Amino acid sequence: MEVKNVEFAYDCEKVLKGISFKVESEKITTIIGANGCGKSTLFNVMTKNLKPQRGSVTLNGESIEKIPIKKFARLVSIVHQYNTAPSDISVEVLVGYGRLAYKKAFKNDKYENEKYVTRALEATGITNIRKKKISELSGGQRQRVWIAMALAQNTKVLFLDEPTTYLDIKYQIEILRLIKKLNEEYKITIVMVLHDINQAVYYSDNIIAMKDGEIIGQGKAKEIITGELIYETYGVRLDVEEIGNKKFVITV
C-alpha cells in the first residue's frame, strides 16, 4: 500500500498535510504520535472510511477509492478501536461474520467458510471458547475474537487501531505477541496505531511518527527512535537506552 500526498481537513482545519509513505509488505508498521496529531484520520483514510481531499491511497497499484467495498474486504481486514456486537452472539458466529465478503447469492460455501473460521479460531487461541457468548468474555478474549474475525477474511493486509486500549498489561502483551505471530507465520502485512512507545518499537519493523498532521520521522523501529524524535513528537524529553539490540524509552 502507498499513501501519496494525502491531505484531509475538517471544517477548513487541515488534519493531514501532504502525507506520503509506502507500507512495507509482510512487515509490521506502527503509527505513533501525540493525541490529535492525525493518526486516527490517517487510519480512516487508509481503510476507506474517509476520502482524502487531495492525494491518493493505492493498493497493488490501484486507488482504493475505485475498489468496491466488498472487494476491498477481501484484500484488507480491519480491527477498529471500538467494537460492538450483540451480547448473546457466540464467538464462532461472530468470527464467521468475517466471511461475509465472500458470500455469493445462491452458492453454498459452507465448507470453505468453516475452514477459515476454524483456522482463525486456532490461530488466535480461542477454539476452547468458540461456543461462549461475547458477554461472557474478558476484554482480552474479546479482542482476540475481533482479530479472529478479521483473520477469517483471509486478507494479506490487516489494520488495527490501538488494539491494546483498555487492556491490562498481561492482555496487552498477549495481543501484541499474537499480532507478531500472525505477521511471521501468515506473512500478513500489518499496519497499526499504538500509544505505548516501547510496545511500538519492540513489536514493529517500521515506525511512522506524526505531529500536527505531518510525518516527522519514519524508518526501522530499532534505528529511528531517539531522544530528539521523542521530544519532537511528544514534547517531552526522555532518555532512550539500548538493551539487547532493542531500544527502550525511559518514561519515568
Side-chain angles (χ1 to χ4, degrees):
M1 179 174 278
E2 182 176 5
V3 177
K4 190 173 182 179
N5 297 323
V6 164
E7 294 186 359
F8 188 88
Y10 290 108
D11 298 326
C12 298
E13 181 179 350
K14 195 172 287 187
V15 181
L16 299 179
K17 308 169 184 177
I19 298 287
S20 295
F21 63 92
K22 288 184 179 180
V23 174
E24 191 174 0
S25 180
E26 299 183 2
K27 300 293 184 181
I28 298 177
T29 298
T30 298
I31 303 168
I32 65 171
N35 290 337
C37 72
K39 300 188 304 293
S40 295
T41 302
L42 176 59
F43 185 94
N44 284 321
V45 166
M46 295 178 72
T47 53
K48 274 179 75 73
N49 287 310
L50 290 175
K51 181 180 178 181
Q53 283 130 357
R54 182 183 176 188
S56 64
V57 180
T58 56
L59 180 63
N60 301 328
E62 183 178 6
S63 170
I64 65 171
E65 290 182 34
K66 298 179 180 179
I67 301 177
I69 192 65
K70 195 168 185 177
K71 179 182 177 182
F72 190 70
R74 296 178 181 178
L75 300 170
V76 173
S77 50
I78 307 161
V79 178
H80 294 283
Q81 183 177 354
Y82 304 104
N83 301 285
T84 58
S87 60
D88 61 345
I89 195 172
S90 71
V91 168
E92 63 180 355
V93 170
L94 184 56
V95 173
Y97 285 171
R99 300 301 301 163
L100 290 178
Y102 297 89
K103 187 176 181 180
K104 297 180 181 178
F106 311 113
K107 186 176 180 180
N108 189 347
D109 294 324
K110 183 178 179 180
Y111 173 78
E112 184 174 7
N113 290 339
E114 287 181 350
K115 179 180 72 173
Y116 283 109
V117 168
T118 298
R119 185 191 76 154
L121 292 169
E122 291 175 349
T124 52
I126 56 174
T127 301
N128 61 321
I129 59 170
R130 66 187 300 163
K131 299 297 184 181
K132 282 193 172 185
K133 296 178 181 179
I134 294 299
S135 59
E136 299 173 335
L137 305 183
S138 67
Q141 289 174 322
R142 290 189 188 190
Q143 190 66 308
R144 283 178 178 268
V145 173
W146 293 113
I147 293 174
M149 187 175 76
L151 189 60
Q153 286 178 236
N154 192 36
T155 67
K156 298 304 292 182
V157 181
L158 171 61
F159 279 85
L160 302 113
D161 188 7
E162 299 187 27
T164 58
T165 299
Y166 305 125
L167 300 180
D168 63 34
I169 189 63
K170 175 180 182 291
Y171 288 119
Q172 288 181 28
I173 298 305
E174 286 185 356
I175 291 299
L176 290 167
R177 286 176 177 172
L178 171 60
I179 291 168
K180 191 72 172 176
K181 170 190 170 185
L182 297 179
N183 167 252
E184 292 175 347
E185 294 186 9
Y186 294 90
K187 305 302 179 185
I188 298 174
T189 300
I190 292 174
V191 180
M192 62 181 173
V193 174
L194 285 179
H195 268 302
D196 190 291
I197 309 169
N198 286 319
Q199 289 179 354
V201 175
Y202 193 88
Y203 290 98
S204 307
D205 298 295
N206 301 308
I207 296 288
I208 293 173
M210 292 184 64
K211 181 181 181 181
D212 296 332
E214 298 179 299
I215 293 177
I216 59 173
Q218 59 180 307
K220 301 295 181 185
K222 63 182 180 181
E223 298 173 358
I224 189 176
I225 298 299
T226 63
E228 290 76 15
L229 179 65
I230 296 301
Y231 179 71
E232 188 176 359
T233 304
Y234 297 99
V236 60
R237 295 199 180 278
L238 297 171
D239 292 328
V240 178
E241 301 290 342
E242 188 167 329
I243 305 172
N245 201 32
K246 290 280 188 179
K247 285 188 175 180
F248 293 91
V249 180
I250 310 302
T251 57
V252 293

mmCIF file with all atom_site columns, all heavy atoms in Angstrom, residues 46-65:
data_model
loop_
_atom_site.group_PDB
_atom_site.id
_atom_site.type_symbol
_atom_site.label_atom_id
_atom_site.label_alt_id
_atom_site.label_comp_id
_atom_site.label_asym_id
_atom_site.label_entity_id
_atom_site.label_seq_id
_atom_site.pdbx_PDB_ins_code
_atom_site.Cartn_x
_atom_site.Cartn_y
_atom_site.Cartn_z
_atom_site.occupancy
_atom_site.B_iso_or_equiv
_atom_site.pdbx_formal_charge
_atom_site.auth_seq_id
_atom_site.auth_comp_id
_atom_site.auth_asym_id
_atom_site.auth_atom_id
_atom_site.pdbx_PDB_model_num
ATOM 1   N N   . MET A 1 46 ? -6.832  5.407  5.128  1.00 0.00 ? 46 MET A N   1
ATOM 2   C CA  . MET A 1 46 ? -6.218  4.203  4.566  1.00 0.00 ? 46 MET A CA  1
ATOM 3   C C   . MET A 1 46 ? -7.173  3.009  4.538  1.00 0.00 ? 46 MET A C   1
ATOM 4   O O   . MET A 1 46 ? -6.924  2.040  3.826  1.00 0.00 ? 46 MET A O   1
ATOM 5   C CB  . MET A 1 46 ? -4.961  3.840  5.367  1.00 0.00 ? 46 MET A CB  1
ATOM 6   C CG  . MET A 1 46 ? -3.850  4.870  5.273  1.00 0.00 ? 46 MET A CG  1
ATOM 7   S SD  . MET A 1 46 ? -2.422  4.426  6.294  1.00 0.00 ? 46 MET A SD  1
ATOM 8   C CE  . MET A 1 46 ? -1.729  3.063  5.364  1.00 0.00 ? 46 MET A CE  1
ATOM 9   N N   . THR A 1 47 ? -8.252  3.098  5.314  1.00 0.00 ? 47 THR A N   1
ATOM 10  C CA  . THR A 1 47 ? -9.192  1.981  5.375  1.00 0.00 ? 47 THR A CA  1
ATOM 11  C C   . THR A 1 47 ? -10.539 2.313  4.717  1.00 0.00 ? 47 THR A C   1
ATOM 12  O O   . THR A 1 47 ? -11.550 1.659  4.980  1.00 0.00 ? 47 THR A O   1
ATOM 13  C CB  . THR A 1 47 ? -9.423  1.539  6.832  1.00 0.00 ? 47 THR A CB  1
ATOM 14  O OG1 . THR A 1 47 ? -9.812  2.671  7.620  1.00 0.00 ? 47 THR A OG1 1
ATOM 15  C CG2 . THR A 1 47 ? -8.156  0.934  7.422  1.00 0.00 ? 47 THR A CG2 1
ATOM 16  N N   . LYS A 1 48 ? -10.578 3.331  3.881  1.00 0.00 ? 48 LYS A N   1
ATOM 17  C CA  . LYS A 1 48 ? -11.758 3.705  3.089  1.00 0.00 ? 48 LYS A CA  1
ATOM 18  C C   . LYS A 1 48 ? -12.907 4.271  3.920  1.00 0.00 ? 48 LYS A C   1
ATOM 19  O O   . LYS A 1 48 ? -14.037 4.364  3.443  1.00 0.00 ? 48 LYS A O   1
ATOM 20  C CB  . LYS A 1 48 ? -12.273 2.508  2.261  1.00 0.00 ? 48 LYS A CB  1
ATOM 21  C CG  . LYS A 1 48 ? -11.582 2.360  0.913  1.00 0.00 ? 48 LYS A CG  1
ATOM 22  C CD  . LYS A 1 48 ? -12.119 1.142  0.151  1.00 0.00 ? 48 LYS A CD  1
ATOM 23  C CE  . LYS A 1 48 ? -13.494 1.376  -0.431 1.00 0.00 ? 48 LYS A CE  1
ATOM 24  N NZ  . LYS A 1 48 ? -13.428 2.294  -1.602 1.00 0.00 ? 48 LYS A NZ  1
ATOM 25  N N   . ASN A 1 49 ? -12.648 4.657  5.152  1.00 0.00 ? 49 ASN A N   1
ATOM 26  C CA  . ASN A 1 49 ? -13.696 5.269  5.959  1.00 0.00 ? 49 ASN A CA  1
ATOM 27  C C   . ASN A 1 49 ? -13.784 6.772  5.713  1.00 0.00 ? 49 ASN A C   1
ATOM 28  O O   . ASN A 1 49 ? -14.810 7.383  5.997  1.00 0.00 ? 49 ASN A O   1
ATOM 29  C CB  . ASN A 1 49 ? -13.450 5.000  7.448  1.00 0.00 ? 49 ASN A CB  1
ATOM 30  C CG  . ASN A 1 49 ? -13.748 3.565  7.819  1.00 0.00 ? 49 ASN A CG  1
ATOM 31  O OD1 . ASN A 1 49 ? -14.810 3.039  7.503  1.00 0.00 ? 49 ASN A OD1 1
ATOM 32  N ND2 . ASN A 1 49 ? -12.805 2.902  8.460  1.00 0.00 ? 49 ASN A ND2 1
ATOM 33  N N   . LEU A 1 50 ? -12.701 7.353  5.225  1.00 0.00 ? 50 LEU A N   1
ATOM 34  C CA  . LEU A 1 50 ? -12.675 8.752  4.843  1.00 0.00 ? 50 LEU A CA  1
ATOM 35  C C   . LEU A 1 50 ? -12.032 8.875  3.466  1.00 0.00 ? 50 LEU A C   1
ATOM 36  O O   . LEU A 1 50 ? -11.112 8.119  3.135  1.00 0.00 ? 50 LEU A O   1
ATOM 37  C CB  . LEU A 1 50 ? -11.874 9.589  5.851  1.00 0.00 ? 50 LEU A CB  1
ATOM 38  C CG  . LEU A 1 50 ? -12.469 9.797  7.250  1.00 0.00 ? 50 LEU A CG  1
ATOM 39  C CD1 . LEU A 1 50 ? -11.467 10.538 8.134  1.00 0.00 ? 50 LEU A CD1 1
ATOM 40  C CD2 . LEU A 1 50 ? -13.789 10.544 7.192  1.00 0.00 ? 50 LEU A CD2 1
ATOM 41  N N   . LYS A 1 51 ? -12.494 9.831  2.707  1.00 0.00 ? 51 LYS A N   1
ATOM 42  C CA  . LYS A 1 51 ? -11.934 10.079 1.373  1.00 0.00 ? 51 LYS A CA  1
ATOM 43  C C   . LYS A 1 51 ? -11.022 11.303 1.439  1.00 0.00 ? 51 LYS A C   1
ATOM 44  O O   . LYS A 1 51 ? -11.446 12.379 1.880  1.00 0.00 ? 51 LYS A O   1
ATOM 45  C CB  . LYS A 1 51 ? -13.061 10.313 0.361  1.00 0.00 ? 51 LYS A CB  1
ATOM 46  C CG  . LYS A 1 51 ? -12.574 10.559 -1.054 1.00 0.00 ? 51 LYS A CG  1
ATOM 47  C CD  . LYS A 1 51 ? -13.760 10.778 -1.976 1.00 0.00 ? 51 LYS A CD  1
ATOM 48  C CE  . LYS A 1 51 ? -13.292 11.069 -3.402 1.00 0.00 ? 51 LYS A CE  1
ATOM 49  N NZ  . LYS A 1 51 ? -14.442 11.302 -4.308 1.00 0.00 ? 51 LYS A NZ  1
ATOM 50  N N   . PRO A 1 52 ? -9.766  11.160 1.036  1.00 0.00 ? 52 PRO A N   1
ATOM 51  C CA  . PRO A 1 52 ? -8.862  12.316 1.083  1.00 0.00 ? 52 PRO A CA  1
ATOM 52  C C   . PRO A 1 52 ? -9.305  13.409 0.124  1.00 0.00 ? 52 PRO A C   1
ATOM 53  O O   . PRO A 1 52 ? -9.845  13.127 -0.948 1.00 0.00 ? 52 PRO A O   1
ATOM 54  C CB  . PRO A 1 52 ? -7.509  11.721 0.672  1.00 0.00 ? 52 PRO A CB  1
ATOM 55  C CG  . PRO A 1 52 ? -7.859  10.521 -0.146 1.00 0.00 ? 52 PRO A CG  1
ATOM 56  C CD  . PRO A 1 52 ? -9.112  9.966  0.456  1.00 0.00 ? 52 PRO A CD  1
ATOM 57  N N   . GLN A 1 53 ? -9.107  14.663 0.529  1.00 0.00 ? 53 GLN A N   1
ATOM 58  C CA  . GLN A 1 53 ? -9.478  15.769 -0.343 1.00 0.00 ? 53 GLN A CA  1
ATOM 59  C C   . GLN A 1 53 ? -8.404  16.037 -1.398 1.00 0.00 ? 53 GLN A C   1
ATOM 60  O O   . GLN A 1 53 ? -8.641  16.707 -2.393 1.00 0.00 ? 53 GLN A O   1
ATOM 61  C CB  . GLN A 1 53 ? -9.715  17.025 0.511  1.00 0.00 ? 53 GLN A CB  1
ATOM 62  C CG  . GLN A 1 53 ? -11.059 16.979 1.229  1.00 0.00 ? 53 GLN A CG  1
ATOM 63  C CD  . GLN A 1 53 ? -10.949 17.287 2.713  1.00 0.00 ? 53 GLN A CD  1
ATOM 64  O OE1 . GLN A 1 53 ? -9.858  17.495 3.234  1.00 0.00 ? 53 GLN A OE1 1
ATOM 65  N NE2 . GLN A 1 53 ? -12.072 17.301 3.397  1.00 0.00 ? 53 GLN A NE2 1
ATOM 66  N N   . ARG A 1 54 ? -7.231  15.476 -1.120 1.00 0.00 ? 54 ARG A N   1
ATOM 67  C CA  . ARG A 1 54 ? -6.140  15.580 -2.102 1.00 0.00 ? 54 ARG A CA  1
ATOM 68  C C   . ARG A 1 54 ? -5.221  14.382 -1.899 1.00 0.00 ? 54 ARG A C   1
ATOM 69  O O   . ARG A 1 54 ? -5.073  13.882 -0.798 1.00 0.00 ? 54 ARG A O   1
ATOM 70  C CB  . ARG A 1 54 ? -5.366  16.888 -1.914 1.00 0.00 ? 54 ARG A CB  1
ATOM 71  C CG  . ARG A 1 54 ? -4.242  17.071 -2.934 1.00 0.00 ? 54 ARG A CG  1
ATOM 72  C CD  . ARG A 1 54 ? -3.459  18.339 -2.661 1.00 0.00 ? 54 ARG A CD  1
ATOM 73  N NE  . ARG A 1 54 ? -2.331  18.463 -3.568 1.00 0.00 ? 54 ARG A NE  1
ATOM 74  C CZ  . ARG A 1 54 ? -1.389  19.379 -3.478 1.00 0.00 ? 54 ARG A CZ  1
ATOM 75  N NH1 . ARG A 1 54 ? -1.416  20.265 -2.510 1.00 0.00 ? 54 ARG A NH1 1
ATOM 76  N NH2 . ARG A 1 54 ? -0.398  19.417 -4.347 1.00 0.00 ? 54 ARG A NH2 1
ATOM 77  N N   . GLY A 1 55 ? -4.590  13.936 -2.980 1.00 0.00 ? 55 GLY A N   1
ATOM 78  C CA  . GLY A 1 55 ? -3.679  12.811 -2.884 1.00 0.00 ? 55 GLY A CA  1
ATOM 79  C C   . GLY A 1 55 ? -4.400  11.485 -3.066 1.00 0.00 ? 55 GLY A C   1
ATOM 80  O O   . GLY A 1 55 ? -5.593  11.448 -3.398 1.00 0.00 ? 55 GLY A O   1
ATOM 81  N N   . SER A 1 56 ? -3.674  10.396 -2.857 1.00 0.00 ? 56 SER A N   1
ATOM 82  C CA  . SER A 1 56 ? -4.250  9.082  -3.122 1.00 0.00 ? 56 SER A CA  1
ATOM 83  C C   . SER A 1 56 ? -3.677  8.020  -2.194 1.00 0.00 ? 56 SER A C   1
ATOM 84  O O   . SER A 1 56 ? -2.580  8.160  -1.655 1.00 0.00 ? 56 SER A O   1
ATOM 85  C CB  . SER A 1 56 ? -3.977  8.673  -4.573 1.00 0.00 ? 56 SER A CB  1
ATOM 86  O OG  . SER A 1 56 ? -2.574  8.539  -4.789 1.00 0.00 ? 56 SER A OG  1
ATOM 87  N N   . VAL A 1 57 ? -4.464  6.964  -2.015 1.00 0.00 ? 57 VAL A N   1
ATOM 88  C CA  . VAL A 1 57 ? -4.014  5.757  -1.322 1.00 0.00 ? 57 VAL A CA  1
ATOM 89  C C   . VAL A 1 57 ? -4.207  4.609  -2.307 1.00 0.00 ? 57 VAL A C   1
ATOM 90  O O   . VAL A 1 57 ? -5.317  4.400  -2.807 1.00 0.00 ? 57 VAL A O   1
ATOM 91  C CB  . VAL A 1 57 ? -4.819  5.487  -0.036 1.00 0.00 ? 57 VAL A CB  1
ATOM 92  C CG1 . VAL A 1 57 ? -4.317  4.217  0.637  1.00 0.00 ? 57 VAL A CG1 1
ATOM 93  C CG2 . VAL A 1 57 ? -4.735  6.670  0.911  1.00 0.00 ? 57 VAL A CG2 1
ATOM 94  N N   . THR A 1 58 ? -3.132  3.899  -2.617 1.00 0.00 ? 58 THR A N   1
ATOM 95  C CA  . THR A 1 58 ? -3.225  2.819  -3.587 1.00 0.00 ? 58 THR A CA  1
ATOM 96  C C   . THR A 1 58 ? -2.859  1.484  -2.954 1.00 0.00 ? 58 THR A C   1
ATOM 97  O O   . THR A 1 58 ? -2.030  1.413  -2.042 1.00 0.00 ? 58 THR A O   1
ATOM 98  C CB  . THR A 1 58 ? -2.302  3.070  -4.794 1.00 0.00 ? 58 THR A CB  1
ATOM 99  O OG1 . THR A 1 58 ? -0.946  3.249  -4.337 1.00 0.00 ? 58 THR A OG1 1
ATOM 100 C CG2 . THR A 1 58 ? -2.738  4.303  -5.569 1.00 0.00 ? 58 THR A CG2 1
ATOM 101 N N   . LEU A 1 59 ? -3.495  0.449  -3.444 1.00 0.00 ? 59 LEU A N   1
ATOM 102 C CA  . LEU A 1 59 ? -3.230  -0.917 -3.012 1.00 0.00 ? 59 LEU A CA  1
ATOM 103 C C   . LEU A 1 59 ? -3.013  -1.755 -4.253 1.00 0.00 ? 59 LEU A C   1
ATOM 104 O O   . LEU A 1 59 ? -3.872  -1.797 -5.139 1.00 0.00 ? 59 LEU A O   1
ATOM 105 C CB  . LEU A 1 59 ? -4.403  -1.461 -2.196 1.00 0.00 ? 59 LEU A CB  1
ATOM 106 C CG  . LEU A 1 59 ? -4.275  -2.891 -1.678 1.00 0.00 ? 59 LEU A CG  1
ATOM 107 C CD1 . LEU A 1 59 ? -3.102  -3.014 -0.706 1.00 0.00 ? 59 LEU A CD1 1
ATOM 108 C CD2 . LEU A 1 59 ? -5.572  -3.329 -1.002 1.00 0.00 ? 59 LEU A CD2 1
ATOM 109 N N   . ASN A 1 60 ? -1.852  -2.371 -4.340 1.00 0.00 ? 60 ASN A N   1
ATOM 110 C CA  . ASN A 1 60 ? -1.488  -3.142 -5.532 1.00 0.00 ? 60 ASN A CA  1
ATOM 111 C C   . ASN A 1 60 ? -1.596  -2.287 -6.795 1.00 0.00 ? 60 ASN A C   1
ATOM 112 O O   . ASN A 1 60 ? -2.023  -2.752 -7.848 1.00 0.00 ? 60 ASN A O   1
ATOM 113 C CB  . ASN A 1 60 ? -2.367  -4.387 -5.664 1.00 0.00 ? 60 ASN A CB  1
ATOM 114 C CG  . ASN A 1 60 ? -2.265  -5.299 -4.454 1.00 0.00 ? 60 ASN A CG  1
ATOM 115 O OD1 . ASN A 1 60 ? -1.216  -5.396 -3.813 1.00 0.00 ? 60 ASN A OD1 1
ATOM 116 N ND2 . ASN A 1 60 ? -3.362  -5.971 -4.125 1.00 0.00 ? 60 ASN A ND2 1
ATOM 117 N N   . GLY A 1 61 ? -1.247  -1.009 -6.641 1.00 0.00 ? 61 GLY A N   1
ATOM 118 C CA  . GLY A 1 61 ? -1.231  -0.106 -7.780 1.00 0.00 ? 61 GLY A CA  1
ATOM 119 C C   . GLY A 1 61 ? -2.572  0.497  -8.144 1.00 0.00 ? 61 GLY A C   1
ATOM 120 O O   . GLY A 1 61 ? -2.661  1.305  -9.075 1.00 0.00 ? 61 GLY A O   1
ATOM 121 N N   . GLU A 1 62 ? -3.641  0.162  -7.413 1.00 0.00 ? 62 GLU A N   1
ATOM 122 C CA  . GLU A 1 62 ? -4.977  0.657  -7.715 1.00 0.00 ? 62 GLU A CA  1
ATOM 123 C C   . GLU A 1 62 ? -5.483  1.547  -6.583 1.00 0.00 ? 62 GLU A C   1
ATOM 124 O O   . GLU A 1 62 ? -5.330  1.219  -5.408 1.00 0.00 ? 62 GLU A O   1
ATOM 125 C CB  . GLU A 1 62 ? -5.944  -0.521 -7.910 1.00 0.00 ? 62 GLU A CB  1
ATOM 126 C CG  . GLU A 1 62 ? -7.356  -0.114 -8.295 1.00 0.00 ? 62 GLU A CG  1
ATOM 127 C CD  . GLU A 1 62 ? -8.278  -1.305 -8.538 1.00 0.00 ? 62 GLU A CD  1
ATOM 128 O OE1 . GLU A 1 62 ? -7.834  -2.447 -8.289 1.00 0.00 ? 62 GLU A OE1 1
ATOM 129 O OE2 . GLU A 1 62 ? -9.426  -1.079 -8.957 1.00 0.00 ? 62 GLU A OE2 1
ATOM 130 N N   . SER A 1 63 ? -6.079  2.683  -6.951 1.00 0.00 ? 63 SER A N   1
ATOM 131 C CA  . SER A 1 63 ? -6.621  3.584  -5.954 1.00 0.00 ? 63 SER A CA  1
ATOM 132 C C   . SER A 1 63 ? -7.712  2.869  -5.163 1.00 0.00 ? 63 SER A C   1
ATOM 133 O O   . SER A 1 63 ? -8.619  2.267  -5.735 1.00 0.00 ? 63 SER A O   1
ATOM 134 C CB  . SER A 1 63 ? -7.209  4.830  -6.613 1.00 0.00 ? 63 SER A CB  1
ATOM 135 O OG  . SER A 1 63 ? -7.926  5.598  -5.670 1.00 0.00 ? 63 SER A OG  1
ATOM 136 N N   . ILE A 1 64 ? -7.646  2.952  -3.828 1.00 0.00 ? 64 ILE A N   1
ATOM 137 C CA  . ILE A 1 64 ? -8.655  2.251  -3.027 1.00 0.00 ? 64 ILE A CA  1
ATOM 138 C C   . ILE A 1 64 ? -10.033 2.884  -3.198 1.00 0.00 ? 64 ILE A C   1
ATOM 139 O O   . ILE A 1 64 ? -11.053 2.236  -2.924 1.00 0.00 ? 64 ILE A O   1
ATOM 140 C CB  . ILE A 1 64 ? -8.272  2.180  -1.540 1.00 0.00 ? 64 ILE A CB  1
ATOM 141 C CG1 . ILE A 1 64 ? -8.223  3.571  -0.901 1.00 0.00 ? 64 ILE A CG1 1
ATOM 142 C CG2 . ILE A 1 64 ? -6.952  1.453  -1.350 1.00 0.00 ? 64 ILE A CG2 1
ATOM 143 C CD1 . ILE A 1 64 ? -8.055  3.534  0.616  1.00 0.00 ? 64 ILE A CD1 1
ATOM 144 N N   . GLU A 1 65 ? -10.086 4.124  -3.663 1.00 0.00 ? 65 GLU A N   1
ATOM 145 C CA  . GLU A 1 65 ? -11.380 4.766  -3.924 1.00 0.00 ? 65 GLU A CA  1
ATOM 146 C C   . GLU A 1 65 ? -12.135 4.033  -5.021 1.00 0.00 ? 65 GLU A C   1
ATOM 147 O O   . GLU A 1 65 ? -13.376 4.033  -5.039 1.00 0.00 ? 65 GLU A O   1
ATOM 148 C CB  . GLU A 1 65 ? -11.167 6.224  -4.332 1.00 0.00 ? 65 GLU A CB  1
ATOM 149 C CG  . GLU A 1 65 ? -10.688 7.127  -3.218 1.00 0.00 ? 65 GLU A CG  1
ATOM 150 C CD  . GLU A 1 65 ? -10.541 8.564  -3.674 1.00 0.00 ? 65 GLU A CD  1
ATOM 151 O OE1 . GLU A 1 65 ? -11.351 8.997  -4.523 1.00 0.00 ? 65 GLU A OE1 1
ATOM 152 O OE2 . GLU A 1 65 ? -9.621  9.247  -3.201 1.00 0.00 ? 65 GLU A OE2 1
#
